[in-house]
Amino acid sequence: MTSNAHGMRGSWVTLLVAGTLLAGCSAQGTDNQPSRQSDSPSAGTSPRASASSSPVSGETPSAGASAASSVFTPDASLVPRTSKDGRRLAESVVLAPAGWGRSFVAQTPAGSTPGTWAVLNEDCRWQREKVSRGVLASTSRYSRLPAGGGKGAVRVTAVATVHASVLGADEQLSTTLEEVLRCPEQRPRSDERITGLMSLGTPFGAREQEYADDSVLEAGDYVENGGAAQPYRWMVARLGTVVVAVSVTGSKGNTAQELQQLGSKALAQMLTRIEQRLKGK
């Protein structure tokens, strides 16, 4: 897929991320990773993958939302070429607790082990492994919103992965979409399951998606220790050689719409950071 990412401008970005990813999407049964301490590094989504199952429901952008007027082209001299540069970019893009909101705090652990990313193995279990060849860096940060106001805690993950090539980044999204088909139920940890997963890949220009070169949305239910199922969202987007993703896992009192809005805003922030750091003067 070619690079056609439009620049991020104003609040309409959040509306597009929140609305067009879900509007009219075709779904694929699969599970998503909660507060992914084993976040999908291969998170790939190919719009060419077949879609089946029921659609993910979502909101549409407001009438005032409009597309960006110019295509974002990164300054070639600023695009990371080394692991050191890739790590610096990833760490500057991925959200810390404060980036999610004033009341968010770090989980334990607060971040991933340097030089690793999450991999879905043959048994549909998530584990961290050394980054693959062609991946310059991958950074994950784990945060949570403590319970309060009659609502349970919310756990979130932000991930930024920098590839050596656009092709490598594109393949990450393709793999993500395929993983949903291969593993409709996934286990982030031994006592956690993600079930009822649905997935949608939306490349630039499809369904009014004009904020990224490619994007993937997964929605499902998260179950821990045999408890009640809670809504879960995993959102992935690519700008050039950089892939960003967020996961949001709710608990009692958190609606799927609230989690979608929280994840959409976070993803938009990271996409904006990529543009700010890679645009020329």
Side-chain angles (χ1 to χ4, degrees):
M1 287 164 263
T2 58
S3 175
N4 284 307
H6 277 208
M8 312 300 145
R9 293 291 183 271
S11 61
W12 67 267
V13 179
T14 300
L15 292 170
L16 285 177
V17 176
T20 65
L21 271 175
L22 291 178
C25 58
S26 307
Q28 302 163 338
T30 316
D31 265 335
N32 250 334
Q33 299 75 330
S35 178
R36 288 190 184 189
Q37 308 213 344
S38 26
D39 20 73
S40 170
S42 47
T45 168
S46 168
R48 295 181 292 277
S50 61
S52 59
S53 191
S54 58
V56 182
S57 61
E59 57 196 42
T60 56
S62 69
S66 61
S69 60
S70 62
V71 174
F72 167 60
T73 301
D75 184 329
S77 67
L78 299 178
V79 175
R81 304 297 179 191
T82 66
S83 295
K84 180 179 179 180
D85 290 341
R87 185 167 55 254
R88 183 183 297 112
L89 176 61
E91 291 178 350
S92 69
V93 166
V94 71
L95 293 185
W100 289 89
R102 182 179 302 175
S103 300
F104 279 82
V105 296
Q107 292 191 55
T108 302
S112 57
T113 302
T116 69
W117 67 352
V119 175
L120 186 65
N121 67 19
E122 294 302 316
D123 296 324
C124 298
R125 294 176 180 272
W126 287 96
Q127 59 189 29
R128 294 202 72 86
E129 296 182 358
K130 182 179 179 180
V131 294
S132 300
R133 183 177 182 181
V135 177
L136 299 180
S138 185
T139 299
S140 301
R141 288 180 180 156
Y142 316 117
S143 308
R144 66 184 178 89
L145 177 65
K151 295 184 177 182
V154 175
R155 290 187 291 174
V156 297
T157 296
V159 188
T161 302
V162 182
H163 293 260
S165 68
V166 170
L167 178 59
D170 192 50
E171 288 178 346
Q172 179 181 342
L173 267 72
S174 297
T175 301
T176 296
L177 206 57
E178 293 164 1
E179 285 174 340
V180 171
L181 297 174
R182 177 171 69 86
C183 295
E185 180 173 312
Q186 301 171 11
R187 287 187 175 273
R189 300 178 190 79
S190 60
D191 60 347
E192 300 174 343
R193 292 185 301 126
I194 305 172
T195 64
L197 260 187
M198 298 179 289
S199 176
L200 171 71
T202 308
F204 173 82
R207 304 184 188 91
E208 300 181 8
Q209 195 278 82
E210 296 183 324
Y211 57 84
D213 292 325
D214 205 354
S215 66
V216 180
L217 169 66
E218 295 179 9
D221 295 318
Y222 169 68
V223 180
E224 181 177 12
N225 294 323
Q230 304 295 341
Y232 171 80
R233 293 291 184 271
W234 176 244
M235 308 173 196
V236 188
R238 177 180 70 82
L239 278 181
T241 61
V242 186
V243 176
V244 290
V246 299
S247 74
V248 184
T249 305
S251 55
K252 183 179 179 180
N254 303 126
T255 68
Q257 183 178 15
E258 289 172 337
L259 300 181
Q260 174 66 27
Q261 292 174 339
L262 177 63
S264 299
K265 181 179 178 180
L267 192 67
Q269 287 186 72
M270 291 200 291
L271 289 170
T272 299
R273 289 183 179 185
I274 294 172
E275 179 180 341
Q276 290 173 340
R277 285 154 179 76
L278 299 184
K279 68 181 180 181
K281 295 182 179 180

